[in-house]
Amino acid sequence: MEASLPCNSCGSVNQSKFSGEIGIHFPGLKNIDKPVVWVFPELVVCLDCGTAQFAVPEAELRLLAKGDDAAAG
Ligand SMILES: [Zn+2]
């Protein structure tokens, strides 16, 4: 997976990879007690428009999916 694809937003190939730490919160007051899901992905940032892309690892992805179910039910 290389960062050679053009940016989804502006089409620029002026992108760089970074290491990120991202705490994903479930939105809304009803989710205020839910724990933050931390992910440490490799970020691809477009240096022209600022769009950042990253993939959530599978384990954390499951937490997010589960959290959504709980919020809906
Ligand atoms: Zn861009």
Side-chain angles (χ1 to χ4, degrees):
M1 214 169 67
E2 283 304 312
S4 53
L5 290 174
C7 170
N8 284 335
S9 284
C10 72
S12 169
V13 291
N14 189 18
Q15 299 176 98
S16 280
K17 287 185 178 179
F18 299 92
S19 298
E21 300 176 26
I22 298 173
I24 302 178
H25 299 253
F26 292 93
L29 269 182
K30 65 181 188 296
N31 291 319
I32 205 160
D33 291 333
K34 278 203 173 67
V36 176
V37 177
W38 286 98
V39 296
F40 303 90
E42 181 179 77
L43 292 169
V44 178
V45 179
C46 174
L47 300 177
D48 280 328
C49 75
T51 294
Q53 299 179 67
F54 67 95
V56 177
E58 204 175 312
E60 284 77 15
L61 203 54
R62 253 181 257 129
L63 289 176
L64 294 178
K66 214 165 52 182
D68 256 4
D69 284 350

